Amino acid sequence: MDPAWNQSKVSSCPLGSDSTLTWTWVSTLPLQCADHSIRIRRFCSHADPSDWSQWKTNYGAQDTVDRVWKKTKMFPYQQVLKEGSTILFCCVPPRGIHITNMTFNSTTSYPLINITHRVTAIAVHNLNITQASGSGVYSWCEDTTEKRNNYCSNFISFCPQRPENLSCGTEDLRTVICTWNPGRPANLYEPYKRTHTLHIKNTGEDLIKCGEWSCRFQAVPGLEWYHVSVVVRNQLGEEKQSYSFNITDRVFPVPEGVKVSPGVTEANVSWVMRGNLSGLELFCQVTADPVEPRRLTRLAEAADLQSTSMVCNGGSDERCDVSLEQLSPNTLYATRVRCAVRGNLEGEWTQPTHFTTYPLVTLDVWRKVRLLSHGQRNVTLLWTPQLSGSASSVKIQGYKVRWRQEGFQWILWRNREQTQTEISIGPGQCDMIIQAVIQPGSSPPGHITIPPVERIEYLRNATCVSGSASGGFHLIWKEQEAVTCGYTVEWCTVGSGVSCTLQWRKVPVGNTSVSLPAGDFKAGHRYTFDIYGCTDEGDKLLGIRTGYSQELKPVQSPRLVEPIRTTSSSVTLEWRYHEDDHSHPGFITGYLVTVHKTGSQRSPGHVRSPFTKMVADPHNKSLTIVGLQEHQKYTFHLSALTNVGPGPPTTVTVKTQTIPSILLAKILTPLLLLLGLAILLCLFWKMLRSCIVELFGYPAGMNIKPIELDLHLHETSERLRCLKVGDCACSDIEILSVRPTMSERTPLIHPKLPRLSSSFTTIPSSSFCPVHPSSYSSSMSSSLPSLSPPCPSSSTQHLHQKGYCPQSPTEVWDSSVQTSLTNRSYFPSVGAEQSVELKPIRGTDSSDISSSPIKLSNLITSEPSEGPQLRPGALLENIDGYITTDSLVKSMTAYMNGQSH
C-alpha cells in the first residue's frame, strides 16, 4: 500500500537487541477487499531515521475470486461489528464483471466508492442495533450480470463491560461462589456470545469457565486468602475485574430440613445446617409471618416481621430448634430461617415453610326470655360456635351447659349438632356458662347473666329506621355509663307469618353504632331491633328500632265503607285499613285518591285530566272531595301509600246529586222563551203578513199558468242564438212621447208611481250592457221575471238609473200577449226602428188582438204632442232599479184599448 496513504508512529523503548515489538493496526477497509502493504523504519533519539524496510504485502481476495469462487464476493463476512462505528462494505467481482449497485439491510442503497478498477465499496455510518433487524445485518451486491449476487451477514454488538459488585462467599466451606453484575445484557449467541472466565491468581489452577452472573469453584484446602479475577471477552475486546477475600469471613450458613410442629398459639421450628460448620459460633433468626392474600409483601424485605433469634451449634448431625409464641389460632403462617457466623453478615433466607396453627373455638352466646306465671321464666339459650379459621379442621364433640341460681347449679350436655336449649329458671338472677368440648381440650367458656325479674324493663315505643343505600341497616344509639361489657343488637323478621331465627350481633364496649350487611335482610320485610346493654346484673334493654332494609309498594288495597255520602258538589269517602300491620312491605305514610270524570261529552282532541287528593295522616281514613259538578259521574281510585309509591287501588264510581232549583230553572227557561216568542209573533203578525204579501204575492187580476218548459226553452234558445259573449256593446235608447188622438189619450201611469216631468233626456249608450245568455235561462220561473238590476251610479234623475243592465229581450209569462223588446245594438241586422210586437197566445182569440205590429215610434216620441202626453212612468215602471213587466203589460193593454176605440 502507498506510504502516503496511511502512516503512523509507534513509540517504544527496546529492552534489548533480541526484543520483539508488536503493533496492531485495524483497517477501516476489510483486508479481503484490496492488497495492503506495509513497511517500517526506526527513529532513535535525535539520530537520523533508518532506512525503510522492504514492503510486506497482505493480498486481498481478487485471485481467490477468480480461481476458486468465480462469483462476486462481499466483505466483511460473518463478523462482529462495533455498534456506532463506520464500516466499509466492499464487493469483489470476478474479472470482467463490474458492480452496479450495493444495498445495506435490504432496502437502503448507498453511493458506490471505487476502491480499484474491480472493487467497489459503500460506507455505512453509525451502526445501530435496531429492534427490526436485531443484531444481524445484511448487504447485497448487484453486478453487470443483472443478478443480485452474493449477500453477506454480519452482527452488530458492543464492547464487553467490566463486571460490577464482584463478591465471593461460601455456605459450607467446601464450595466458593462468586457473583457479579454483568451490566448490559448480551445480544449475541454462540459462537459470538461473550465469555466469562475466572482465574485464581495465587494458585496454579486453570481458568474456570463461568456463567453470565456467577462462578462456582471448589475451595482450595488450607487456603484462607483468595485473589481472583473475572475476564469478559468477545470479538470486539475484553474487560477484567479483580477481588480478594478471606474465606472464613465470607461464610454464609444455609439451614436445611426446616420442620414445624404447630399448636394453637405457638409453633416449634427445627432445622439442620448444610456442611460441617463445627467450631464456628452461629447466630440464627426465625420468622413467622401470617399469610394474607390481600398483602403482597416481600418477606425478605418486611420490616415488621415477628422473629426470634437464637445461638445454634453448627454440627452436621445436630438439629437447631426454636419455639415461636403468641401466634393467632387457626392461622396460616410462613416461617423462614437464616444464619450467620457471629460478627459476619447474615446469610440468605430459606424458602418459606407454611404451617397452620390449631383453631380456637369460642362461643357467641345469647338468650331469649319468656315470662311465665308467678315470676317463673323460660330461657332459650342460643350459641354460635366461632372459629378462627376453617371449620373443617375442628372436631367439636359436644357442648357443656351449666347454670347457677340461688346457690344451686345444674349441668346439661348437648350434642355438637345442637345450638340452643331451653331452661326454666326462677325470678332471681341466673348465671349461665356454656363451653365447647374439642379434641384436645375445651374452648374458652361463654358466659351470660339473666337479670332478676324486678330489674327487667319493658319498652313499648319503637323508633322507625330506614335501610342504608347498600340495603342493610346502620343503627346508632346513645352511650350508657352503666354498660361495662358491650352491647348486643338482636333482630327478627316480624309480620311474615312464619317463625324466624333470632339473630344478634355483639358490639364492643365504647362503640355506639353497628352496620348490618344487606345479605342478612330481604326487601319488603319489616325487622325489629332490640338494643341491649351489658351490665354487671345482666343485659338491659336500651331501645327498640323497627324498619325495612328496602321498602316496597303496598300489596293490600283499602276497603271502602258504603254507602258513600254524596252531595251535588262533593263526595265523602270512608275506608278501613290496618296501617300498623307489620306484614306491609313498607311504612304506610298516607293514602292517595285519584278522581276521574266519566260519562261527560268532550270536544275531539280534549283529554280528561284526572286530579289527585292525598291524605298525609295514615290514621285518617276519610276524605271529602269538593268542587265537583252536580249530576255527574266520577270514578275514584283509593290506594295506600309508602315511601316508594301507591299500592293497588280500590275503585268506585259515584254520581253527584242534582240541585232541585237548578233543575227547575233548566226546565222553565226554555218554556218562558217559547212563550215570549209566541207573544211577539202574535203582536207583529199583521206587519209580517203585509211584508210577506208584498214580497211574494202576485198583482191582482193576473192569471199565471205554469210554463210550458220544452216549447219556451226552444223559442228562447232560438232567439238567443245570435247572442255572443263579448265586450259590452251599448247603445243609446231614445224614449219618445206617444202621439195618440185626444180621445185616445188614456194615462198609463202606474197608480203607485209618482208622476215625472215630461221632459226626457237621452240615456247614454254606455249605461246599457248586454248580459251573458245564461242569464236568460235562469230567469224562467213560474213567477213573473224581473229584469237585471241596474248598474251602480252615483247621480241620476232619469227614469232609469245610469248603469242599467238590460236582461233578456224576451220573457214568457202566462198572459194574453207576448212582449218582445229589441235593441238594435244587440241585433245589428234589425232595422233602425224598434217596435213592440204583440202576438196572440195559444188559447186566446186572435180577433181580440190586432196582428199588426205596433211600432214603438208611434208609441214613444221625443217631441211633445198637443193632447195628453204619455209620461215615461206611464210606460215603464222602475221599482228598486228594475223595469217591471206588469207595468209594461198594463201600458200595452191600455194602448191597445185606445186603438180599438
Side-chain angles (χ1 to χ4, degrees):
M1 114 180 243
D2 189 353
W5 187 25
N6 197 339
Q7 295 183 6
S8 62
K9 294 181 179 180
V10 179
S11 298
S12 179
C13 184
L15 299 175
S17 58
D18 296 333
S19 61
T20 302
L21 298 178
T22 302
W23 172 61
T24 302
W25 171 72
V26 179
S27 174
T28 56
L29 181 67
L31 299 179
Q32 297 90 341
C33 296
D35 297 341
H36 291 75
S37 298
I38 187 173
R39 64 181 181 176
I40 190 171
R41 66 178 177 175
R42 182 184 62 184
F43 292 86
C44 186
S45 298
H46 299 286
D48 293 334
S50 64
D51 295 332
W52 286 102
S53 64
Q54 298 295 322
W55 286 102
K56 186 69 174 178
T57 301
N58 181 72
Y59 295 97
Q62 293 91 332
D63 293 340
T64 306
V65 170
D66 293 337
R67 290 183 293 103
V68 180
W69 293 324
K70 297 181 180 180
K71 63 178 182 179
T72 303
K73 285 292 185 179
M74 193 170 188
F75 302 99
Y77 178 75
Q78 294 290 314
Q79 298 293 321
V80 177
L81 308 178
K82 185 178 180 180
E83 181 183 20
S85 62
T86 299
I87 300 297
L88 290 174
F89 294 89
C90 70
C91 289
V92 182
R95 193 178 303 276
I97 297 176
H98 300 283
I99 301 302
T100 59
N101 187 30
M102 295 179 65
T103 58
F104 177 75
N105 265 358
S106 302
T107 58
T108 306
S109 297
Y110 288 82
L112 299 179
I113 302 172
N114 293 324
I115 303 300
T116 65
H117 66 283
R118 292 173 57 185
V119 179
T120 304
I122 60 174
V124 180
H125 303 280
N126 192 19
L127 294 176
N128 289 323
I129 302 175
T130 61
Q131 184 177 2
S133 62
S135 303
V137 292
Y138 303 90
S139 53
W140 282 266
C141 289
E142 297 181 9
D143 54 26
T144 54
T145 61
E146 298 182 356
K147 295 181 179 179
R148 199 174 190 185
N149 295 317
N150 191 29
Y151 78 94
C152 69
S153 61
N154 295 279
F155 303 94
I156 302 175
S157 187
F158 48 87
C159 294
Q161 294 178 313
R162 178 176 296 179
E164 298 179 355
N165 301 328
L166 176 60
S167 64
C168 298
T170 180
E171 297 175 351
D172 52 7
L173 294 178
R174 297 173 183 174
T175 304
V176 179
I177 301 175
C178 296
T179 59
W180 60 86
N181 183 3
R184 185 177 178 182
N187 66 321
L188 298 179
Y189 302 95
E190 295 293 347
Y192 306 101
K193 185 179 180 180
R194 66 189 180 190
T195 61
H196 295 75
T197 57
L198 185 143
H199 177 58
I200 305 176
K201 299 179 182 179
N202 56 342
T203 65
E205 299 290 335
D206 296 333
L207 295 178
I208 302 171
K209 291 183 179 182
C210 304
E212 186 78 13
W213 295 79
S214 64
C215 193
R216 181 187 295 265
F217 60 93
Q218 295 297 318
V220 179
L223 185 63
E224 292 186 1
W225 281 94
Y226 289 80
H227 302 282
V228 298
S229 62
V230 178
V231 179
V232 185
R233 290 188 182 90
N234 66 5
Q235 293 186 9
L236 299 178
E238 68 176 36
E239 288 290 342
K240 182 171 63 175
Q241 181 69 278
S242 299
Y243 178 68
S244 298
F245 64 94
N246 189 334
I247 192 172
T248 58
D249 296 334
R250 304 295 299 171
V251 177
F252 303 100
V254 176
E256 290 182 336
V258 179
K259 296 182 179 180
V260 181
S261 298
V264 177
T265 58
E266 71 283 340
N268 185 64
V269 182
S270 63
W271 66 92
V272 295
M273 302 304 303
R274 180 186 299 175
N276 188 4
L277 301 179
S278 58
L280 298 177
E281 187 179 3
L282 301 180
F283 178 81
C284 296
Q285 184 180 13
V286 182
T287 64
D289 311 305
V291 177
E292 300 179 10
R294 64 179 180 272
R295 289 183 56 191
L296 301 178
T297 307
R298 295 182 61 184
L299 299 178
E301 298 179 0
D304 56 346
L305 301 180
Q306 182 178 1
S307 63
T308 300
S309 300
M310 62 165 296
V311 176
C312 179
N313 189 356
S316 58
D317 296 332
E318 297 182 5
R319 296 190 65 88
C320 302
D321 57 1
V322 67
S323 179
L324 301 177
E325 297 179 353
Q326 297 181 355
L327 302 179
S328 298
N330 199 27
T331 304
L332 177 63
Y333 284 90
T335 182
R336 296 171 303 137
V337 183
R338 67 178 179 181
C339 298
V341 177
R342 184 176 292 276
N344 295 344
L345 297 176
E346 295 86 356
E348 296 293 333
W349 287 103
T350 61
Q351 292 298 320
T353 301
H354 295 86
F355 68 95
T356 303
T357 55
Y358 292 147
L360 176 64
V361 178
T362 58
L363 298 178
D364 185 10
V365 184
W366 188 238
R367 87 291 181 276
K368 184 178 181 181
V369 181
R370 184 164 56 92
L371 184 62
L372 302 177
S373 59
H374 307 292
Q376 299 296 316
R377 291 172 293 178
N378 183 275
V379 178
T380 301
L381 188 63
L382 306 101
W383 62 88
T384 301
Q386 293 184 348
L387 309 177
S388 56
S390 176
S392 61
S393 59
V394 179
K395 294 182 179 180
I396 300 177
Q397 297 179 350
Y399 301 95
K400 184 186 295 185
V401 181
R402 294 178 296 170
W403 70 97
R404 184 174 53 251
Q405 187 180 32
E406 297 176 357
F408 296 94
Q409 181 174 337
W410 295 267
I411 300 177
L412 286 177
W413 174 262
R414 290 292 179 261
N415 298 329
R416 60 183 180 182
E417 292 83 7
Q418 294 179 291
T419 57
Q420 68 179 30
T421 185
E422 290 189 2
I423 301 173
S424 297
I425 62 174
Q429 179 175 323
C430 181
D431 296 326
M432 295 185 174
I433 299 173
I434 182 172
Q435 193 172 16
V437 179
I438 60 176
Q439 187 179 3
S442 300
S443 68
H447 179 270
I448 193 169
T449 300
I450 309 298
V453 174
E454 61 272 12
R455 299 293 179 91
I456 298 178
E457 297 181 5
Y458 298 94
L459 302 179
R460 298 297 181 185
N461 297 328
T463 303
C464 295
V465 294
S466 299
S468 60
S470 61
F473 286 95
H474 185 72
L475 305 178
I476 302 176
W477 58 89
K478 294 182 179 180
E479 186 175 5
Q480 302 291 330
E481 295 181 357
V483 175
T484 58
C485 47
Y487 300 88
T488 302
V489 178
E490 73 169 19
W491 70 89
C492 186
T493 306
V494 295
S496 61
V498 296
S499 60
C500 69
T501 302
L502 184 67
Q503 301 183 61
W504 66 93
R505 176 70 59 85
K506 295 293 182 68
V507 180
V509 64
N511 295 338
T512 58
S513 64
V514 63
S515 294
L516 304 176
D520 297 337
F521 306 98
K522 295 182 180 180
H525 288 72
R526 188 168 180 176
Y527 296 89
T528 298
F529 302 91
D530 295 337
I531 303 174
Y532 292 87
C534 180
T535 65
D536 296 337
E537 295 181 349
D539 294 283
K540 178 182 178 182
L541 181 62
L542 302 179
I544 302 175
R545 308 286 190 270
T546 182
Y548 300 84
S549 62
Q550 182 179 353
E551 293 189 53
L552 302 178
K553 295 181 180 180
V555 295
Q556 300 178 7
S557 57
R559 184 166 58 89
L560 288 171
V561 177
E562 295 183 354
I564 298 175
R565 293 178 294 169
T566 62
T567 66
S568 60
S569 61
S570 66
V571 172
T572 300
L573 300 178
E574 294 183 0
W575 59 90
R576 292 188 177 92
Y577 198 75
H578 191 188
E579 65 278 0
D580 296 326
D581 189 357
H582 292 171
S583 63
H584 291 313
F587 291 115
I588 303 301
T589 58
Y591 306 93
L592 179 68
V593 178
T594 304
V595 183
H596 292 268
K597 186 177 181 181
T598 59
S600 62
Q601 298 294 331
R602 51 179 178 175
S603 59
H606 177 72
V607 180
R608 299 191 191 98
S609 57
F611 62 93
T612 59
K613 296 290 185 178
M614 185 176 295
V615 179
D617 184 7
H619 300 284
N620 182 13
K621 301 184 200 51
S622 65
L623 176 66
T624 299
I625 299 95
V626 298
L628 305 180
Q629 296 181 5
E630 54 90 17
H631 197 65
Q632 175 64 49
K633 286 185 178 181
Y634 290 91
T635 300
F636 300 89
H637 303 279
L638 174 63
S639 304
L641 284 176
T642 64
N643 292 324
V644 179
T650 297
T651 303
V652 64
T653 300
V654 180
K655 188 174 183 179
T656 56
Q657 298 180 6
T658 304
I659 302 176
S661 60
I662 295 177
L663 179 62
L664 183 62
K666 288 184 178 180
I667 297 174
L668 293 179
T669 298
L671 294 178
L672 294 176
L673 290 176
L674 292 176
L675 181 61
L677 289 175
I679 295 173
L680 291 176
L681 288 176
C682 291
L683 293 176
F684 293 97
W685 171 245
K686 294 183 178 180
M687 184 183 299
L688 291 174
R689 182 178 180 183
S690 63
C691 293
I692 292 172
V693 170
E694 184 178 356
L695 291 175
F696 301 104
Y698 295 104
M702 295 186 66
N703 184 18
I704 300 175
K705 296 181 179 180
I707 299 174
E708 298 180 7
L709 186 59
D710 295 340
L711 177 61
H712 294 299
L713 283 177
H714 176 71
E715 293 177 359
T716 303
S717 64
E718 290 296 329
R719 294 179 182 181
L720 294 177
R721 185 175 299 172
C722 62
L723 295 180
K724 296 181 179 179
V725 179
D727 297 335
C728 182
C730 301
S731 61
D732 295 337
I733 299 177
E734 296 180 357
I735 303 175
L736 304 178
S737 299
V738 181
R739 296 179 181 179
T741 60
M742 292 298 295
S743 60
E744 298 172 349
R745 292 178 181 175
T746 302
L748 300 177
I749 301 175
H750 195 279
K752 294 182 181 181
L753 291 177
R755 295 182 176 272
L756 301 177
S757 176
S758 61
S759 60
F760 302 94
T761 59
T762 303
I763 300 174
S765 60
S766 60
S767 63
F768 290 88
C769 301
V771 182
H772 195 276
S774 62
S775 64
Y776 295 102
S777 61
S778 64
S779 64
M780 297 180 181
S781 63
S782 61
S783 63
L784 291 175
S786 64
L787 298 178
S788 299
C791 298
S793 177
S794 61
S795 63
T796 178
Q797 295 179 357
H798 305 146
L799 179 62
H800 305 286
Q801 292 183 0
K802 185 178 181 179
Y804 164 75
C805 298
Q807 290 284 354
S808 169
T810 303
E811 288 292 344
V812 179
W813 62 87
D814 191 3
S815 182
S816 60
V817 294
Q818 180 180 1
T819 304
S820 174
L821 290 179
T822 304
N823 188 345
R824 67 166 58 95
S825 64
Y826 293 169
F827 308 100
S829 61
V830 182
E833 186 178 15
Q834 297 180 353
S835 63
V836 177
E837 182 179 0
L838 303 178
K839 295 182 181 181
I841 305 301
R842 289 186 303 271
T844 306
D845 189 1
S846 61
S847 62
D848 295 339
I849 300 175
S850 177
S851 61
S852 61
I854 301 174
K855 294 184 180 180
L856 189 62
S857 60
N858 296 330
L859 183 64
I860 302 174
T861 178
S862 62
E863 297 179 0
S865 59
E866 295 178 356
Q869 298 179 354
L870 180 64
R871 296 179 180 273
L875 176 63
L876 303 174
E877 182 178 3
N878 184 356
I879 297 176
D880 295 332
Y882 290 86
I883 300 174
T884 59
T885 305
D886 56 344
S887 64
L888 180 61
V889 172
K890 290 179 181 180
S891 300
M892 294 299 103
T893 306
Y895 176 75
M896 289 185 291
N897 293 333
Q899 288 290 91
S900 63
H901 294 293

